[in-house]
Amino acid sequence: MRRSLIGLAYALGLPLILIAIWWIASLGATSIFVPKPVPLVSQFFEVWIGDRLLTDVLPSLGRFLAGTAIAIVLGVLIGLGVGLSRALRAFTEPVFEFFRAIPPPVLIPVFALVIGIGDDMRIAVIAFGAIWPVILNTIEGVRAADDVQTETSRSYGIHGLGRVRYQVLPSAAPQILAGVRQSLPIGIILMVISEMLYASSGLGFSIIQLQRSFAVPQMWSGILLLGLLGYAVSLLFKLVERRVLRWYHGLKELQNAS
Amino acid sequence: MPPENDIPAAVVAGRGRTLAPEQTLLSVRGLKKVYETDGGDIEAVRDLTFDLGRNELTCLVGPSGSGKTTLLKCIAGLLDPTEGEVVLDGRRVTGPPKKMAVVFQEYGRSLFPWLRVADNVELPLKNAGVPKARRAELVAEALESVGLAHVPRSYPWQLSGGMQQRVAIARAIAYQPEMLLMDEPFAAVDAQTRADLEDLVRQVRERLGVTVLFVTHDIDESVYLASRVIILSSSPTVIQEDLVIDLPDQRDQLETRALPRFTELRHHVYEQIQLAKRGFRPDDARVG
Amino acid sequence: MPPENDIPAAVVAGRGRTLAPEQTLLSVRGLKKVYETDGGDIEAVRDLTFDLGRNELTCLVGPSGSGKTTLLKCIAGLLDPTEGEVVLDGRRVTGPPKKMAVVFQEYGRSLFPWLRVADNVELPLKNAGVPKARRAELVAEALESVGLAHVPRSYPWQLSGGMQQRVAIARAIAYQPEMLLMDEPFAAVDAQTRADLEDLVRQVRERLGVTVLFVTHDIDESVYLASRVIILSSSPTVIQEDLVIDLPDQRDQLETRALPRFTELRHHVYEQIQLAKRGFRPDDARVG
Amino acid sequence: ACSSGSPSGPAETETAPAAEGGGDLTPITVGLLAIAPAAAVQYGIDEGIFEEHGLDVTVQMAQGGAAMLPAVSTGQYDFGVGNPLSVLTAASQGVDVRIASGYSFSLAEGDDINAVVARAGEGIESWSDLEGKKVSVNAVKTQGDLTIDEAVEQDGGDPSAVEYIEVAFPDALAQLDGGNVDAVWIPEPFLSAALADPDTYTVVGHPNQETIPGLPTMVTFTSGAVGEDAELLEAWRGAVSETLAAATEDREGFGQTISEFTGMPEAAAADLRLERLDAELDPQLIADLSDLAQKFEFLTSAPDLETVILD
Amino acid sequence: MTSPAPHDTITRTVAVAQARRRRRRFRPRRLLLGLAGILTFLLIWEIASRTGAVNPTYLPPASEVLVTFGANAALTGTWVAVGQTLWSWALGMLLALVLAVPLGIVIGLSPFLSRATRSTVEFLRPIPSVALIPLAVLAFAVPLQQSLLIITYGAFWQIFIQVLYGVADVDAVAMSTARSYGFSWWQRVRDVVFPTMLPYLLTGFRLAAAVALILAITAELVIGTPGVGKQAGLAKDAGLYASTYALVLLTGLLGVVINLGVRTAERRLLSWHQSVRGES
Ligand SMILES: Nc1ncnc2c1ncn2[C@@H]1O[C@H](COP(=O)(O)OP(=O)(O)OP(=O)(O)O)[C@@H](O)[C@H]1O
Ligand SMILES: Nc1ncnc2c1ncn2[C@@H]1O[C@H](COP(=O)(O)OP(=O)(O)OP(=O)(O)O)[C@@H](O)[C@H]1O
Ligand SMILES: [Mg+2]
Ligand SMILES: [Mg+2]
């Protein structure tokens, strides 16, 4: 009881202090560019709960989900294939290095050319940007499969798909999920950017729009929404990861404790 | 330097004992293994010949780097020998054979940390297509026999080192091998657990009629465990001595180790290994 | 169950031997340590009292989890005792004392991997402000005495486990402590190296006149090394027995271990630990 | 052995700040966009007109009205040149900006300098045909979609059924070709390019003329604080007025400046059809624009035109 | 590029180094295979465009793009743009580094501060830096400053988090050893904390370098800060498609060069650390 109260105090302490400072500092401010906590929160509900939820927020989320889902599935498949073969690894490495290094936003104009300026383009951009961490981490994870585990598998006649299923995938899972964790924020970023160019709807579009029309508190509420979204995605990921990698975290905790 | 006092020598210097085909489970013939590396070839094992009889418990000792692990891997079909052959039950070993199980020293890395204890034991059976009901039975039996029936739902890393190694042994038992290879399985567990595990291995051999080849660094352990100790020379490796352990079959951690004969055998093996370390080789002896 | 045959019992059951102040280097008095954790308090050590004389080599044995490491850390000033006190050379220990060195089991983690062997040995001297010339001398001497004079420019992780542990010992020696604490320093090295390191520790104590407190799991090791073995009960810990090892001062890996007295002592310690594991406690005995 | 020029087009000359100001010139900073009409200010600087009016001008290139307005309101820039709707929007949200003078206007009659263009033969001929179609504008919620909305409504269509997509002007015709949009709103010189190919493109109409003929496309603006400084304001207005007149007069020289200022090929700059440049501003036009913007809720509150338009 | 799991970094670095050393054996073959990979990629591109599988107007053949790329390399404008991009990248990285390292060490070393700041960090970190674009536009008039806000914000977290990991990774036994030998607080930071943290810091720097480049280019595209990204947008708007692709190629190469550069710097800085030497 006392412990959880202390925990709560730690979790809320600094944020409350910061908000208080912000509130006090903005009390006397008259410039409309300085955000104030109270209007910000009231604007938040006004702006985002309503039509915008359906026309902007949900479609954005849909594109984000579609793009990252494609990235994760394709990324793991490609990573597995490439990771298991030394030759394929050498064959693809420079090309992958290059593609990974391309800042994905610069592909928006290019994708707009080849695919057009619809949702497919946005999803493609998100998928393209988010796939590299998944691929590269899967490759590393597969490659780092423990020798002793591999020999154990072999000595018990576990090979081929059985080995992928029982040994390679689970042992690479922590690394794969580390890749997924990196790819999620990239997905969000690209969701926003892809809506800032050639857009007619979406979160990124709305926020730029609000900024252009000098609806400053509303714009801040949009930034807040993006922050919340990023936070929610990372929280959700953590939950999923905790479940999937229960063994891994248990193991790490134990190692760290010693 | 020939072996001294009343310890019987190997049948032929530089050779292990060979048996008649019907008694033999495993034959190693003229085994040679050369590793090809960047820095040139490393001849880890030069020429090994010996047979293991059914239900024997043989210990393999030798200086560090003498190729014990290499030999074991060749037998397990995990490495291809450069020359010579390994024959298990009449069939030449080219890949991991069905009825063989290996227990590695690195229990922490040989168990799959994402599987619970029971699932770890079950996995090879599942993969081999053993029916579910039979699997459950085998797993329960195996865990029972290593004294871990109470923790099937734990993860391996939640167990102590000794318990983990027992899980690895249970996995090997459940797989019902005819031959069990163990590579320094107890090197990293504490002395007390080690004693318990040693007795467990002897039990398992007795009850399941399995043939065991046991690699160890520990001279006491080899003498205590085995009915026979094969001493390897230093690398490139040949057999330094193939020693019969003529201790009573019923062994006990305190009593057996207190026997004068135990001390003698221990002493003998120790000296042989010291010899091996100093580079003495049986073929040198023959020439010299 | 009282100790049997001709082994002398501790002076007072549940208490270690205490000495006159002029002979004493280290006094532990009524030491108690309770860990406060999320899951509640854990009483690791209940009540320990004993003295270590100058230049003694004492081994501490006890079941796993009996608080050996805890006790050592309290003595080293790395942990604050909950009750009781530790007095080194007349001064109460509150933080890490100057003239004490600790060798941890985890040599891999206790050496700094980014420093070369010689730099690792030198660092504590450097931080203590020892002049450069003197440092070089001490480092060279220490490395020499552990037989590592030839690898000062290597990184620790380029060495074998046994060599790494010798570096840790060299670091402790170079620091010229009056008291050397060692926590299961050889648990992870192979048997042969272990034997060498054991002899090294005995040598160091003799040559440098340092007082050694040595924690080990290994009963043979404790009997072989020590002039005195303190056996701890299982947790919460008290002293189960404080045993004088009346073996000749000159020890030898083969001969000493072959002595009947060695086997007796070994046997005795073994039984005491079995007792401790089963939860027998000296104070229970007193009451029962 | 590098030749000058950039991979995205011909040479782009960095706009140098005005030459060393002599005497007691008032230093001012002016925010400009990299578009053709804005080059007139540069022309005026090059010709020394601003100096004659006692102004030492530093030009800051801005990326859009939205970035320029806050800078002007906080005094980082003294003046800006941008579209009046942005100024009204900012003012209605409480940003301290004032319209200082007129600058450029779309043509009240004849072929206007901006139009909505569709692919020929696809049946988009009148404003109401835009219903349910995708129309590109350079930026949503600005004068393009505002006047198109009104034009559609006047034609009996439903403006809320028109979908606007942001596409930069230079890219608009390509997107129209690619079928990603159904119609595009484009100004010169892209409009002329489309007009030159009547088989491919058809003009739907000129939305500015349709709604507010002679709509101011750009105005100059400043902050309230600068607006108080009657002397400075006077100097600025005088300079702008003279500059715009001179630029209109000297079409050839102005074309040169446009080419240098925007990186447009010289020939294109010389042929470019230009808006009407004039520093005089009829407040009624702004009022009309404000009303229209409120009607379509581009403005949520009415700006106080009395304060916004400096007299 | 994961955040290294605590504790076993050094061991793992060694293992990785050894693995790399082992891989070196296949160097010539690897090189050839890699080249073959690049050629195959270019070939597929060329064919896709030449056969019209993709509209060649919008995807010019690889050969044409490469020629344009070569031509662009002779233009000063290209190098000015590269310089502008790298300048904002470098400034942003510098700012992030200067802010993140001391803050990370101070917070990481204090259990109280780490606990008190955790929730705030957890909330601020996932905020996509591009969310700050509108803010940057309103707050700063100068495009470079707008870029810097975004770049610094994005890069800051990468470095900061790695520094925290690094400080948390300081081995308990190593720390006990230092304490038992009587090291002072400052000596412990210098001799134990800093060397442990350094590999993490460099990892953070590498991650941040990639993020910073992405954000620099994003800012150029969206806000219009001068640089390679802006050029690519302009080229596309002007219908110079081959040039657009050439510029995209350029950004990719820029990314590769930055990555290589940081890796080299990493090796240099850790050259005292033998475990890194095998890595090449
Ligand atoms: N993969 C390998 N590549 C090259 N050389 C190897 C390899 N594995 C082992 N060796 C070499 O072969 C020799 C025998 O090694 P092996 O591991 O079989 O010895 P061991 O008897 O098991 O030693 P230990 O007692 O230390 O486990 C050694 O010299 C070793 O360096
Ligand atoms: N940091 C800690 N927090 C809480 N409990 C601890 C901590 N360290 C040790 N303990 C507990 O204190 C008791 C004694 O631990 P300690 O490590 O001293 O035993 P040990 O005799 O050294 O054991 P081992 O032989 O396994 O090394 C154990 O029950 C252990 O769980
Ligand atoms: Mg081995
Ligand atoms: Mg301990």
Side-chain angles (χ1 to χ4, degrees):
Chain A
M1 187 57 203
R2 199 175 128 244
R3 254 171 232 292
S4 56
L5 277 182
I6 292 177
L8 201 68
Y10 270 113
L12 295 181
L14 186 61
L16 287 178
I17 293 172
L18 289 178
I19 291 174
I21 293 176
W22 173 22
W23 185 65
I24 293 167
S26 68
L27 267 183
T30 50
S31 161
I32 66 151
F33 299 114
V34 175
K36 298 181 182 179
V38 181
L40 182 61
V41 172
S42 67
Q43 286 299 335
F44 182 85
F45 292 101
E46 206 164 293
V47 175
W48 300 107
I49 312 296
D51 282 353
R52 272 228 167 81
L53 188 67
L54 287 178
T55 58
D56 291 314
V57 181
L58 291 181
S60 280
L61 284 180
R63 291 190 280 263
F64 164 70
L65 288 179
T68 42
I70 293 173
I72 291 168
V73 171
L74 270 183
V76 170
L77 287 179
I78 295 174
L80 269 180
V82 173
L84 284 171
S85 151
R86 190 200 299 272
L88 213 51
R89 244 176 11 235
F91 186 72
T92 52
E93 193 178 304
V95 178
F96 281 3
E97 278 295 322
F98 172 73
F99 272 114
R100 179 181 65 145
I102 298 180
V106 83
L107 288 167
I108 296 177
V110 167
F111 279 31
L113 278 180
V114 177
I115 306 178
I117 53 180
D119 279 354
D120 334 349
M121 180 272 277
R122 288 175 231 290
I123 292 174
V125 169
I126 294 170
F128 186 90
I131 200 170
W132 300 108
V134 183
I135 292 186
L136 296 173
N137 277 283
T138 307
I139 292 177
E140 277 306 303
V142 169
R143 210 169 66 75
D146 190 290
D147 289 349
V148 178
Q149 279 171 11
T150 302
E151 283 186 344
T152 305
S153 291
R154 285 184 63 203
S155 74
Y156 283 110
I158 301 172
H159 46 71
L161 272 186
R163 191 177 148 239
V164 170
R165 183 169 149 213
Y166 294 129
Q167 186 214 336
V168 176
L169 260 187
S171 81
Q175 184 101 38
I176 294 177
L177 284 173
V180 171
R181 182 176 35 218
Q182 288 169 40
S183 76
L184 291 176
I186 297 182
I188 296 188
I189 288 177
L190 289 177
M191 172 192 90
V192 175
I193 298 174
S194 74
E195 291 168 353
M196 288 180 168
L197 302 167
Y198 307 106
S200 60
S201 73
L203 257 172
F205 174 78
S206 307
I207 293 176
I208 285 282
Q209 209 49 56
L210 290 167
Q211 172 242 316
R212 281 202 210 129
S213 54
F214 302 97
V216 177
Q218 290 91 330
M219 174 199 87
W220 272 104
S221 79
I223 296 177
L224 181 66
L225 178 64
L226 278 180
L228 287 174
L229 182 63
Y231 187 58
V233 166
S234 91
L235 215 65
L236 213 68
F237 173 81
K238 243 185 228 161
L239 281 180
V240 172
E241 197 224 33
R242 279 268 151 194
R243 277 202 84 80
V244 175
L245 292 186
R246 195 159 14 170
W247 63 271
Y248 180 75
H249 293 294
L251 182 64
K252 283 288 154 216
E253 255 162 45
L254 219 69
Q255 282 176 356
N256 294 352
S258 65
Chain B
M1 218 186 293
E4 37 179 42
N5 56 345
D6 55 346
I7 310 279
V11 183
V12 182
R15 281 249 152 159
R17 185 192 46 175
T18 52
L19 297 169
E22 62 278 8
Q23 293 174 287
T24 312
L25 178 68
L26 181 94
S27 299
V28 176
R29 286 289 171 281
L31 190 86
K32 171 177 184 145
K33 176 71 196 176
V34 178
Y35 286 105
E36 283 162 24
T37 70
D38 286 348
D41 290 356
I42 295 178
E43 188 182 8
V45 170
R46 171 161 292 175
D47 177 13
L48 292 180
T49 294
F50 61 89
D51 286 343
L52 295 187
R54 288 177 197 281
N55 203 11
E56 246 184 347
L57 200 170
T58 308
C59 279
L60 205 57
V61 297
S64 197
S66 61
K68 302 180 292 294
T69 299
T70 305
L71 169 58
L72 221 67
K73 286 194 177 164
C74 288
I75 296 177
L78 294 171
L79 271 183
D80 288 332
T82 310
E83 273 175 34
E85 58 174 13
V86 175
V87 177
L88 179 73
D89 220 359
R91 248 170 300 134
R92 188 176 164 155
V93 171
T94 51
K98 263 237 134 341
K99 293 284 86 181
M100 187 179 280
V102 185
V103 176
F104 295 90
Q105 168 178 347
E106 303 93 339
Y107 48 80
R109 292 164 57 193
S110 140
L111 296 176
F112 295 152
W114 51 88
L115 295 180
R116 293 165 194 280
V117 163
D119 299 332
N120 257 296
V121 177
E122 189 182 4
L123 181 62
L125 302 172
K126 198 160 157 188
N127 189 67
V130 176
K132 202 173 162 71
R134 177 80 185 116
R135 263 168 18 215
E137 208 176 293
L138 284 168
V139 170
E141 257 172 40
L143 284 178
E144 181 67 50
S145 73
V146 298
L148 286 180
H150 58 296
V151 290
R153 308 279 307 150
S154 299
Y155 284 101
W157 38 267
Q158 292 173 322
L159 308 179
S160 73
M163 287 164 95
Q164 288 181 31
Q165 194 55 291
R166 277 188 279 165
V167 177
I169 296 175
R171 178 170 63 184
I173 296 174
Y175 194 60
Q176 298 184 287
E178 288 177 15
M179 170 112 217
L180 183 57
L181 304 178
M182 307 181 92
D183 190 3
E184 299 188 34
F186 309 145
V189 296
D190 69 88
Q192 265 106 64
T193 313
R194 188 169 189 146
D196 297 344
L197 290 176
E198 284 165 5
D199 291 333
L200 175 67
V201 168
R202 283 197 60 85
Q203 252 174 53
V204 163
R205 184 204 59 118
E206 250 163 64
R207 276 201 302 121
L208 304 184
V210 67
T211 307
V212 182
L213 182 59
F214 190 105
V215 169
T216 176
H217 253 125
D218 186 316
I219 296 160
D220 282 54
E221 183 166 82
S222 71
V223 174
Y224 177 73
L225 271 183
S227 53
R228 175 181 164 204
V229 173
I230 298 179
I231 305 167
L232 298 184
S233 77
S234 59
S235 186
T237 308
V238 297
I239 289 182
Q240 173 112 359
E241 186 172 355
D242 190 337
L243 181 73
V244 174
I245 301 297
D246 45 6
L247 292 170
D249 232 29
Q250 275 306 318
R251 305 203 181 160
D252 174 279
Q253 290 286 353
L254 283 177
E255 266 141 47
T256 306
R257 287 180 195 256
L259 293 176
R261 181 64 184 158
F262 182 89
T263 312
E264 265 169 49
L265 286 164
R266 200 185 151 283
H267 197 133
H268 176 80
V269 175
Y270 184 86
E271 295 218 313
Q272 285 296 317
I273 291 182
Q274 293 299 20
L275 272 180
K277 268 195 176 170
R278 263 178 268 128
F280 164 86
R281 308 171 60 79
D283 28 272
D284 298 351
R286 247 180 295 163
V287 176
Chain C
M1 217 183 295
E4 25 162 65
N5 56 347
D6 57 345
I7 310 279
V11 183
V12 183
R15 282 246 152 162
R17 185 193 46 176
T18 51
L19 298 169
E22 62 278 9
Q23 292 174 288
T24 312
L25 179 67
L26 181 93
S27 299
V28 174
R29 286 289 173 279
L31 191 86
K32 171 176 186 145
K33 176 70 197 177
V34 178
Y35 286 107
E36 282 162 26
T37 69
D38 287 347
D41 289 357
I42 296 178
E43 188 183 7
V45 171
R46 171 160 294 174
D47 178 14
L48 292 180
T49 294
F50 62 88
D51 285 343
L52 295 187
R54 289 180 195 280
N55 203 11
E56 244 184 347
L57 200 170
T58 308
C59 278
L60 205 57
V61 297
S64 197
S66 59
K68 303 182 290 296
T69 300
T70 306
L71 169 58
L72 223 66
K73 286 196 176 159
C74 288
I75 295 177
L78 294 170
L79 272 183
D80 288 331
T82 311
E83 275 176 32
E85 58 171 14
V86 175
V87 177
L88 179 72
D89 221 358
R91 247 169 302 133
R92 188 177 166 155
V93 170
T94 51
K98 264 244 138 331
K99 292 283 89 180
M100 185 180 282
V102 186
V103 175
F104 295 91
Q105 169 177 347
E106 301 94 339
Y107 48 79
R109 293 164 56 192
S110 144
L111 296 177
F112 300 135
W114 50 86
L115 294 181
R116 294 166 194 279
V117 163
D119 299 332
N120 257 294
V121 177
E122 190 182 4
L123 185 61
L125 302 172
K126 206 159 156 183
N127 277 339
V130 177
K132 202 173 162 68
R134 177 80 185 119
R135 265 171 10 220
E137 208 176 291
L138 284 168
V139 170
E141 255 172 41
L143 284 178
E144 180 70 48
S145 74
V146 299
L148 286 180
H150 57 297
V151 290
R153 306 281 306 151
S154 299
Y155 284 96
W157 40 269
Q158 293 173 322
L159 308 179
S160 73
M163 288 164 93
Q164 288 181 30
Q165 194 54 293
R166 278 187 280 165
V167 177
I169 296 174
R171 178 170 60 185
I173 296 174
Y175 195 61
Q176 298 184 290
E178 287 177 15
M179 168 113 218
L180 183 56
L181 304 178
M182 307 180 91
D183 190 4
E184 299 187 36
F186 309 146
V189 298
D190 69 88
Q192 265 105 64
T193 313
R194 186 169 189 146
D196 296 345
L197 289 177
E198 283 165 7
D199 291 334
L200 174 67
V201 168
R202 284 197 58 85
Q203 252 176 54
V204 164
R205 184 202 58 116
E206 250 163 63
R207 274 202 303 119
L208 303 187
V210 67
T211 306
V212 182
L213 182 60
F214 190 104
V215 169
T216 177
H217 252 126
D218 187 317
I219 296 159
D220 283 54
E221 184 166 83
S222 69
V223 175
Y224 177 73
L225 271 184
S227 54
R228 172 180 166 207
V229 172
I230 297 179
I231 305 169
L232 297 184
S233 77
S234 59
S235 187
T237 309
V238 297
I239 289 182
Q240 174 111 0
E241 188 173 351
D242 190 337
L243 182 72
V244 174
I245 302 297
D246 45 5
L247 293 171
D249 231 31
Q250 274 306 316
R251 305 205 181 159
D252 174 279
Q253 289 286 351
L254 281 177
E255 267 142 46
T256 306
R257 285 176 197 261
L259 294 175
R261 182 63 186 158
F262 183 88
T263 313
E264 264 170 46
L265 284 165
R266 198 184 152 284
H267 197 134
H268 177 79
V269 176
Y270 184 85
E271 295 216 315
Q272 283 297 316
I273 290 182
Q274 292 301 19
L275 271 181
K277 268 194 179 171
R278 265 178 266 130
F280 162 86
R281 307 172 61 79
D283 26 271
D284 300 348
R286 247 181 293 163
V287 176
Chain D
C2 282
S3 52
S4 70
S6 84
S8 59
E12 185 178 339
T13 327
E14 286 297 308
T15 43
E20 292 283 305
D24 44 359
L25 296 183
T26 313
I28 58 168
T29 305
V30 177
L32 294 181
L33 302 175
I35 55 177
V41 174
Q42 186 65 46
Y43 176 82
I45 296 167
D46 295 347
E47 295 292 308
I49 298 173
F50 284 90
E51 221 164 301
E52 280 167 25
H53 287 263
L55 299 173
D56 173 14
V57 181
T58 304
V59 172
Q60 280 285 354
M61 299 308 291
Q63 296 306 325
M68 207 152 58
L69 283 156
V72 168
S73 81
T74 56
Q76 286 170 278
Y77 301 169
D78 298 291
F79 293 94
V81 181
N83 87 64
L85 184 53
S86 296
V87 178
L88 291 179
T89 311
S92 75
Q93 293 284 358
V95 181
D96 178 26
V97 279
R98 313 290 163 92
I99 295 175
S101 77
Y103 190 88
S104 67
F105 300 84
S106 71
L107 307 179
E109 48 218 29
D111 284 339
D112 202 354
I113 36 73
N114 65 59
V116 173
V117 171
R119 285 183 296 272
E122 285 197 5
I124 302 181
E125 266 134 31
S126 71
W127 292 113
S128 52
D129 291 338
L130 291 178
E131 245 188 63
K133 295 290 192 289
K134 290 184 194 160
V135 180
S136 89
V137 291
N138 66 324
V140 174
K141 298 262 182 211
T142 50
Q143 280 162 257
D145 48 340
L146 179 62
T147 50
I148 295 171
D149 275 351
E150 170 70 4
V152 170
E153 188 171 283
Q154 285 177 7
D155 196 33
D158 173 11
S160 64
V162 182
E163 187 188 345
Y164 294 104
I165 297 180
E166 292 193 354
V167 175
F169 289 137
D171 196 26
L173 284 176
Q175 295 298 342
L176 185 63
D177 294 340
N180 292 319
V181 291
D182 302 301
V184 296
W185 176 66
I186 43 175
E188 290 295 345
F190 312 102
L191 182 54
S192 291
L195 291 174
D197 188 0
D199 295 339
T200 316
Y201 305 112
T202 171
V203 173
V204 180
H206 302 289
N208 295 4
Q209 279 181 1
E210 218 60 52
T211 51
I212 305 176
L215 177 78
T217 47
M218 293 216 276
V219 294
T220 73
F221 54 85
T222 185
S223 64
V226 177
E228 308 271 278
D229 185 345
E231 205 175 313
L232 179 57
L233 189 63
E234 211 40 54
W236 169 254
R237 281 175 168 169
V240 170
S241 180
E242 197 175 318
T243 293
L244 294 177
T248 313
E249 199 75 2
D250 177 18
R251 185 61 185 79
E252 203 174 313
F254 184 31
Q256 197 82 26
T257 310
I258 292 177
S259 163
E260 282 163 15
F261 189 74
T262 62
M264 197 183 285
E266 264 177 61
D271 291 346
L272 187 66
R273 288 191 328 115
L274 285 172
E275 289 128 302
R276 183 172 71 84
L277 300 177
D278 192 350
E280 281 305 312
L281 178 66
D282 178 1
Q284 189 51 45
L285 288 173
I286 300 290
D288 290 348
L289 179 64
S290 171
D291 291 343
L292 192 59
Q294 285 171 61
K295 174 178 168 196
F296 287 97
E297 292 180 345
F298 280 37
L299 290 179
T300 42
S301 58
D304 175 8
L305 295 183
E306 294 289 303
T307 12
V308 172
I309 306 174
L310 294 169
D311 27 50
Chain E
M1 309 177 294
T2 27
S3 32
H7 275 311
D8 49 355
T9 4
I10 301 286
T11 344
R12 219 186 25 207
T13 326
V14 177
V16 168
Q18 283 167 347
R20 304 238 164 147
R21 219 170 296 145
R22 230 177 295 141
R23 269 196 287 161
R24 240 197 259 170
R25 209 182 320 165
F26 301 94
R27 262 285 150 101
R29 201 175 136 235
R30 267 165 59 81
L31 218 68
L32 286 178
L33 274 173
L35 270 176
I38 295 174
L39 287 177
T40 312
F41 165 69
L42 291 175
L43 204 67
I44 293 175
W45 176 2
E46 185 83 16
I47 291 171
S49 172
R50 293 252 179 237
T51 58
V54 185
N55 185 344
T57 317
Y58 295 145
L59 179 68
S63 50
E64 195 181 310
V65 171
L66 288 178
V67 168
T68 312
F69 185 85
N72 280 354
L75 297 177
T76 41
T78 308
W79 296 107
V80 170
V82 168
Q84 287 161 335
T85 301
L86 287 181
W87 178 238
S88 41
W89 172 83
L91 276 182
M93 286 297 291
L94 188 70
L95 268 174
L97 210 60
V98 165
L99 288 174
V101 175
L103 215 58
I105 292 184
V106 168
I107 291 181
L109 274 180
S110 152
F112 169 76
L113 283 181
S114 338
R115 231 182 131 181
T117 52
R118 188 170 305 147
S119 59
T120 312
V121 169
E122 287 291 302
F123 180 77
L124 289 179
R125 180 161 73 123
I127 294 180
S129 43
V130 290
L132 302 182
I133 288 180
L135 171 66
V137 168
L138 288 185
F140 300 109
V142 181
L144 179 62
Q145 293 174 351
Q146 302 170 348
S147 288
L148 279 184
L149 175 70
I150 298 159
I151 297 171
T152 307
Y153 186 86
F156 172 84
W157 292 111
Q158 303 285 342
I159 300 175
F160 180 72
I161 294 296
Q162 287 296 322
V163 170
L164 282 189
Y165 279 150
V167 175
D169 186 40
V170 170
D171 194 293
V173 177
M175 209 54 165
S176 290
T177 305
R179 287 183 55 205
S180 77
Y181 283 110
F183 289 19
S184 68
W185 186 86
W186 170 240
Q187 284 169 341
R188 290 202 294 271
V189 169
R190 187 193 59 195
D191 293 335
V192 184
V193 177
F194 188 73
T196 310
M197 190 200 71
L198 196 56
Y200 286 88
L201 175 60
L202 293 173
T203 305
F205 188 83
R206 183 154 41 78
L207 294 176
V211 167
L213 183 66
I214 292 182
L215 292 174
I217 301 246
T218 304
E220 290 165 8
L221 273 169
V222 179
I223 313 180
T225 316
V228 181
K230 184 183 179 190
Q231 293 290 336
L234 288 176
K236 193 215 153 226
D237 287 347
L240 302 169
Y241 297 139
S243 196
T244 312
Y245 283 93
L247 284 162
V248 170
L249 227 61
L250 181 61
T251 60
L253 288 181
L254 220 53
V256 171
V257 167
I258 284 185
N259 201 9
L260 279 179
V262 177
R263 273 184 195 281
T264 313
E266 203 168 340
R267 261 202 312 282
R268 277 278 158 74
L269 277 170
L270 288 182
S271 62
W272 47 269
H273 197 306
Q274 184 74 16
S275 66
V276 186
R277 278 206 189 144
E279 231 178 303
S280 56

